[in-house]
Amino acid sequence: MRLGAICTANLNAEKAQAWNIARYRKFEHLLHTATKDDVGYVILFGRLFGSKLVSGEYIDAISNLISRETNIQVITCLTEEDSHRIASASNTPENLHVLWPSSGGQYEDEKICVSQDEEEIYIEAKAEKNRMTVNRENYRINGSADRVPSFEPCGYEDAAKDTFGYMITRITEKEIRNDLRPETTYAFRFLKMTITPNETESEIIGRAGKLVSANDTDTFVRLVLNGTTGIGVEIDTRRISNELMQYVFFIEVLDESRIDLSDYKPDTDISLANEFVRLAMNDLTLSEADRSTVIRNGWNALSNGEEK
C-alpha cells in the first residue's frame, strides 16, 4: 500500500489534526481487514504520516495501533523523514520493521525476505523461490505498468479516479498475483462561480463558502472564479482558499475573472491610476488574463497611494 497525499503539506494545524484522525481510522480499519483475511505481512510505501504537522502523541498512537495486530508483521519502506518519525515512537512494537532508505537494510524471517537498494525494493517468498520488485521512485511492480496502489489521492486530478485502496499479493512458485482491493473513495469537484461587478471580495467569499460547504470535508475542490469584477475589487486566491478551508480539507481557487471597465473614462479621468489602465489596455503583449491581473493590482496600488 502506498501512502502520502502531497496536498496535506498545506493544511493548517487544526486541519492537519482532523486529517490525521481521519487517516488513523482508515489505517485502523485496514489492519483489522488484513487480520480477517489472514494476511501475514503489510508493507507500507511512501509517507505514513500525511502532514508535516505531526505530534509525538499521534506517532505513538499509530505505533500502538500496529502493536495490537500481533499476527501481522508491518514492514515500512517509507521516506527518510517518516522512517525517523515512526522509529521515534516511545514504544516500538515488535511487529514493526523499519527499512531505512539510506541504509539498505532488510527484513527476513522463515517465510519471506524484504530487501532494498537505492532503486528497488525486493520481496521474496522463500519456499516458492519467487520474488517481486517495486521501484522506489515510481512504485512500478517488476518493471511493468502496474503500480503499488495509492491509499489516497496525491492531487486534484488524481482524486477524480473512482477508488483507492491496497493490493493483496500472493506469491506462488509459478506466478505473482496482485489483486486491487478498493478501500476508500474520494470525491473531486470542479466548481465554477460567476462573479458580478457589484460584488465585494467579502461577498464573493461568502457566496463561495455556501457553494463549497455543500461538499464532504475530504472532497478535493477546485473552484474557478469567472465573470467580471469591479475595477477596484481585489481577488486574492490565497486568502479566499484559506477562508474556504474551514469547509473542506483541500481547496484550490483559480481566478479567471475579467475586470469590468464600463466606467472607465480615459478622456475625463486624469488620475495616475487611470493612466495606468490606459497603458495596460494598449499593451498588446499581455493576454486577457494577465491584463486583468495587471490592471487590478496596479489600480489598487495607485489608487491607495493617491488617497494618501
Side-chain angles (χ1 to χ4, degrees):
M1 179 178 67
R2 174 161 49 101
L3 295 162
I6 58 175
C7 306
T8 55
N10 299 322
L11 298 181
N12 58 30
E14 181 181 357
K15 281 295 181 181
Q17 182 180 14
W19 169 261
N20 285 334
I21 291 173
R23 167 181 268 221
Y24 176 90
R25 290 171 179 166
K26 291 176 181 178
F27 189 52
E28 180 181 39
H29 177 68
L30 171 73
L31 291 182
H32 287 336
T33 302
T35 299
K36 292 179 181 178
D37 287 348
D38 293 326
V39 170
Y41 307 88
V42 171
I43 304 179
L44 304 177
F45 299 90
R47 300 187 65 93
L48 179 57
F49 305 101
S51 171
K52 290 183 178 181
L53 303 173
V54 180
S55 66
E57 290 80 4
Y58 182 72
I59 294 174
D60 286 344
I62 291 291
S63 179
N64 292 333
L65 177 60
I66 293 172
S67 68
R68 295 202 298 266
E69 304 297 336
T70 56
N71 293 327
I72 297 176
Q73 301 300 315
V74 177
I75 305 165
T76 68
C77 302
L78 307 173
T79 63
E80 191 78 20
E81 180 183 22
D82 272 17
S83 295
H84 278 284
R85 282 173 165 172
I86 192 62
S88 70
S90 59
N91 183 21
T92 303
E94 293 183 359
N95 61 329
L96 173 63
H97 313 279
V98 179
L99 301 191
W100 296 83
S102 58
S103 65
Q106 70 176 31
Y107 167 81
E108 184 173 8
D109 61 19
E110 69 279 3
K111 294 182 179 179
I112 72 167
C113 177
V114 181
S115 59
Q116 59 181 340
D117 57 29
E118 293 181 355
E119 297 182 354
E120 304 282 347
I121 296 166
Y122 307 95
I123 304 167
E124 178 183 358
K126 291 184 175 181
E128 290 74 17
K129 297 180 180 180
N130 201 351
R131 75 174 185 177
M132 62 180 285
T133 63
V134 177
N135 185 273
R136 278 190 172 280
E137 183 177 355
N138 55 33
Y139 304 103
R140 291 189 183 277
I141 301 171
N142 293 337
S144 69
D146 296 331
R147 300 173 185 261
V148 174
S150 177
F151 195 61
E152 56 206 354
C154 291
Y156 290 86
E157 284 79 7
D158 193 35
K161 296 179 182 178
D162 293 333
T163 56
F164 299 85
Y166 56 93
M167 185 174 69
I168 295 288
T169 298
R170 295 177 176 86
I171 301 179
T172 67
E173 186 175 347
K174 295 182 179 181
E175 67 174 355
I176 298 175
R177 181 178 176 181
N178 296 314
D179 297 321
L180 174 64
R181 297 289 182 89
E183 173 66 17
T184 182
T185 59
Y186 289 80
F188 169 78
R189 294 289 182 269
F190 182 78
L191 306 176
K192 283 191 174 183
M193 193 178 84
T194 301
I195 300 172
T196 61
N198 297 325
E199 285 184 295
T200 64
E201 187 183 43
S202 61
E203 290 172 335
I204 293 171
I205 292 175
R207 195 153 62 90
K210 293 180 180 179
L211 186 64
V212 172
S213 63
N215 297 275
D216 294 334
T217 56
D218 59 356
T219 302
F220 284 68
V221 175
R222 173 174 286 157
L223 173 64
V224 176
L225 305 176
N226 55 24
T228 56
T229 64
I231 194 170
V233 176
E234 182 179 2
I235 303 295
D236 187 335
T237 55
R238 179 174 295 183
R239 182 164 65 242
I240 295 174
S241 297
N242 290 337
E243 290 287 341
L244 298 179
M245 198 174 283
Q246 62 182 296
Y247 305 112
V248 292
F249 284 122
F250 308 107
I251 177 75
E252 183 180 58
V253 179
L254 303 178
D255 178 25
E256 295 182 359
S257 65
R258 300 293 180 264
I259 294 178
D260 179 19
L261 295 173
S262 59
D263 294 331
Y264 169 58
K265 300 179 177 60
D267 299 327
T268 58
D269 189 344
I270 59 173
S271 67
L272 185 60
N274 195 70
E275 177 64 15
F276 178 85
V277 173
R278 186 185 67 79
L279 292 174
M281 290 291 293
N282 293 329
D283 189 343
L284 300 180
T285 65
L286 295 173
S287 66
E288 286 302 313
D290 290 340
R291 194 187 316 279
S292 292
T293 301
V294 168
I295 290 176
R296 180 181 291 128
N297 294 339
W299 177 276
N300 289 332
L302 293 172
S303 295
N304 291 336
E306 289 178 350
E307 290 176 1
K308 294 178 181 179

